[in-house]
Amino acid sequence: MAVLPIATVGDPVLRRRAREVGVDELRTPRVQRLIDDMIDTMRHAGGAGLAANQVGELLRIAVVEVTADNPRYPYKPPIPLTVIVNPAIETLGDETAEINEGCLSVPDLRGTVERHVTVRVRRLDRDGRPCEDIRRGLTAGTFQHEVDHLDGVLFLDRVRDPTTFTTWAQFDRHHREAFVARARALVERVGS
Ligand code: NI
């Protein structure tokens, strides 16, 4: 297990589409070690998720986990550790919500993006078993953010109003209170 360096915006690896992983390849020690290292790296950085592109590997693998004491996103509902392989996201319903996001590959910047409120995520787990989850609210946003990475898309691309860009310190100072109130209302209404 190891903490890997995280690619930052401008690195071309973040702009490339990651490729599907075969089940035999997924089960190799190399890919299993990569998954363990991605989990370590996400936890070490205090992230809510991490995609393989962010550690320089163009494989369709991402990890997501939010614990109650997540340092970057204390308002997010908990998400148990989830390994996402070859995901397909289907939106359920038309509802969207404006969610303020950050990214480990975009240091010290946050911005507001529109995400689908309810999604179905079909994926393989780390052993290659097919799984299906329905995710809502902020959690749905987290899954959409990670799958975007696998397609070479950053949250920056989805910010419609550039005046929502803030540093983390300015977010805390001027915008956190209003966003957290909206986020809590969303989670209360739709769950996670
Ligand atoms: Ni990200």
Side-chain angles (χ1 to χ4, degrees):
M1 308 267 276
V3 172
L4 304 172
I6 297 176
T8 52
V9 58
D11 188 326
V13 78
L14 295 173
R15 293 309 194 173
R16 292 181 59 194
R17 184 186 185 277
R19 67 166 174 84
E20 272 74 19
V21 189
V23 172
D24 289 343
E25 183 183 15
L26 176 61
R27 291 176 177 153
T28 59
R30 189 191 94 78
V31 174
Q32 291 295 311
R33 187 177 326 117
L34 169 66
I35 292 169
D36 286 335
D37 290 348
M38 287 172 60
I39 293 167
D40 272 2
T41 305
M42 168 180 66
R43 287 175 174 166
H44 181 260
L50 187 78
N53 309 47
Q54 294 179 274
V55 293
E57 294 279 350
L58 287 166
L59 300 174
R60 295 185 83 73
I61 300 173
V63 295
V64 168
E65 182 182 49
V66 176
T67 53
D69 57 352
N70 182 285
R72 282 165 61 89
Y73 306 102
Y75 50 81
K76 283 197 186 200
I79 308 174
L81 177 63
T82 307
V83 178
I84 301 167
V85 179
N86 298 345
I89 284 197
E90 178 192 347
T91 62
L92 302 178
D94 295 332
E95 192 185 353
T96 60
E98 292 197 329
I99 298 179
N100 186 279
E101 296 189 2
C103 178
L104 293 173
S105 291
V106 184
D108 203 21
L109 197 66
R110 300 182 61 129
T112 298
V113 302
E114 198 170 351
R115 295 291 188 190
H116 296 283
V117 166
T118 310
V119 294
R120 177 185 285 129
V121 186
R122 293 194 175 87
R123 62 181 171 92
L124 303 180
D125 68 11
R126 67 180 298 165
D127 302 313
R129 286 181 295 242
C131 303
E132 188 180 309
D133 320 280
I134 291 181
R135 298 293 182 193
R136 298 184 169 86
L138 297 185
T139 302
T142 302
F143 276 72
Q144 288 165 79
H145 178 116
E146 297 312 325
V147 174
D148 268 355
H149 273 300
L150 302 178
D151 293 326
V153 173
L154 298 175
F155 83 89
L156 303 172
D157 313 353
R158 296 198 183 275
V159 172
R160 285 193 191 156
D161 178 0
T163 68
T164 66
F165 282 125
T166 64
T167 64
W168 283 62
Q170 297 297 349
F171 177 76
D172 282 350
R173 193 169 161 201
H174 297 290
H175 308 283
R176 174 181 289 276
E177 204 176 330
F179 173 65
V180 169
R182 274 199 293 122
R184 290 225 167 94
L186 176 67
V187 172
E188 261 177 43
R189 187 165 60 78
V190 302
S192 61

